[in-house]
Amino acid sequence: METVERAVPLHRLEVPAPQQLPFAIGSFDSIGALSRASFPHRHTFYEIVFVTSGHGAHVIDLSRWELRPPHLCFVVPGQVHYWENATDLQGRVVLFTEDFLLDHPGDRDLLRALGERPWFSPAGDDAPAFARLVAELEREYRAGQEGFASVLRAYLHVLIVRASRLAGTVPATADPTGRPALVTQEFVRLLALPDPEVWEVRSCARRIGVTVGYLNEAVKQTTGRTPGQLVREVRTHEAKRLLVRTDLTVRQVAAEVGFADPAYFCRYFRRETGISPGAFRRGSGAMHHDYRVPSLAHPASPS
């Protein structure tokens, strides 16, 4: 994994030859120390974690999840997460980029829905079923035989769909292939990027190649909400992340989410949340950490 220096470190998936797939799977040890990083960070890629044993907690955005394995966890691009006092972590880590979902583009929506409820504990027959599915993914990846990439995508699709059923997060979309739905999917994908420069309706419309009017109609038809409402939600949620998970001043947080005027940001935040940024930080029990990313050599296995 390559790290980009930001207020919250941003990691990109870097898979060395000979695999060169935008996909990797392995244990916490084989993937490398960043797979159990104890400092807040985020990814440009997806991460699925199947935890079979361990102690401590996993913090994802504004929620803290105690480890009581088995757990299945989904982290989507842009989410801030880290492991807190985690010891004896065992299980498997699956990493992949959006490009790896080309065979099953609908999985993007399922993953975004799972990212809103990222942590659950399979019980009964579900736990060994997920364990077998993850084991098959790893076996196919390690073997690397002809056609293995398509098999990996198929197994991953099954894993995502079954997890969505178990979590109750399968979205109901009347026409997932219609142009309004496809435009909305691209709009939501852009909003997931940790980049305030694209968190504007006009900017997103230009990148997608549609008019602002059409983007408004498509998003409202598909989601029942306006693009402006979704943009405000994203900016507010990102501000909350930074207030809770970093030592940035309110002025710095304002700049990170695209506000040049910190006073205007404070008014905006209060309007959206009913509380000032400072009061939100104090009430959240904001935790302070050292954000330096350790210098790590690439592990022997792809990561």
Side-chain angles (χ1 to χ4, degrees):
M1 283 178 275
E2 177 192 2
T3 302
V4 177
E5 292 298 329
R6 300 184 64 144
V8 176
L10 179 68
H11 299 159
R12 304 184 189 280
L13 187 61
E14 204 175 62
V15 182
Q19 300 284 21
Q20 294 186 328
L21 276 178
F23 179 95
I25 181 172
S27 66
F28 286 93
D29 288 335
S30 68
I31 290 294
L34 287 178
S35 67
R36 49 176 175 264
S38 60
F39 56 88
H41 63 283
R42 64 174 111 215
H43 310 145
T44 61
F45 53 88
Y46 296 91
E47 178 174 348
I48 301 175
V49 183
F50 185 60
V51 184
T52 55
S53 65
H55 306 279
H58 194 192
V59 180
I60 306 174
D61 280 343
L62 307 178
S63 300
R64 181 180 182 276
W65 307 85
E66 290 285 346
L67 278 174
R68 295 185 182 90
H71 292 299
L72 194 59
C73 168
F74 293 80
V75 182
V76 301
Q79 284 186 305
V80 175
H81 79 117
Y82 63 95
W83 298 91
E84 183 183 89
N85 300 322
T87 58
D88 303 321
L89 273 179
Q90 299 293 326
R92 288 297 179 269
V93 181
V94 185
L95 310 174
F96 55 95
T97 69
E98 188 129 329
D99 292 341
F100 200 69
L101 301 173
L102 291 177
D103 288 357
H104 302 281
D107 287 353
R108 297 186 183 99
D109 292 332
L110 297 180
L111 285 163
R112 290 188 188 105
L114 285 166
E116 295 175 1
R117 184 188 167 186
W119 188 268
F120 58 98
S121 301
D125 293 338
D126 289 321
F130 278 110
R132 288 192 296 271
L133 189 50
V134 171
E136 282 297 314
L137 258 175
E138 184 171 24
R139 187 173 70 85
E140 189 68 27
Y141 178 73
R142 298 300 173 196
Q145 296 180 352
E146 184 176 353
F148 80 111
S150 62
V151 176
L152 287 175
R153 290 185 174 97
Y155 277 133
L156 182 63
H157 174 65
V158 172
L159 175 62
I160 293 168
V161 171
R162 288 185 177 174
S164 298
R165 290 174 182 168
L166 189 62
T169 57
V170 179
T173 306
D175 182 11
T177 60
R179 188 167 186 245
L182 294 175
V183 167
T184 301
Q185 288 171 11
E186 181 63 14
F187 175 68
V188 172
R189 186 191 71 79
L190 288 172
L191 291 188
L193 298 174
D195 182 0
E197 290 186 4
V198 302
W199 295 343
E200 295 180 358
V201 175
R202 189 173 300 279
S203 174
C204 286
R206 184 172 62 252
R207 289 180 182 231
I208 296 170
V210 297
T211 65
V212 171
Y214 184 82
L215 181 62
N216 272 289
E217 292 175 7
V219 173
K220 185 70 181 293
Q221 176 183 326
T222 307
T223 69
R225 291 182 289 172
T226 67
Q229 287 174 310
L230 296 178
V231 167
R232 289 195 299 275
E233 288 179 12
V234 168
R235 284 186 184 275
T236 303
H237 192 63
E238 177 68 3
K240 288 179 177 179
R241 283 171 171 162
L242 296 175
L243 288 166
V244 174
R245 304 300 174 206
T246 76
D247 289 321
L248 296 177
T249 66
V250 171
R251 177 183 293 273
Q252 290 170 324
V253 170
E256 286 287 326
V257 297
F259 289 87
D261 182 353
Y264 178 69
F265 165 70
C266 289
R267 293 195 298 272
Y268 166 90
F269 190 89
R270 182 183 287 277
R271 185 179 72 241
E272 295 296 317
T273 67
I275 192 172
S276 71
F280 176 82
R281 169 172 271 170
R282 290 190 297 273
S284 68
M287 306 169 70
H288 302 289
H289 298 267
D290 176 7
Y291 301 119
R292 288 182 304 159
V293 178
S295 176
L296 299 172
H298 285 298
S301 299
S303 61

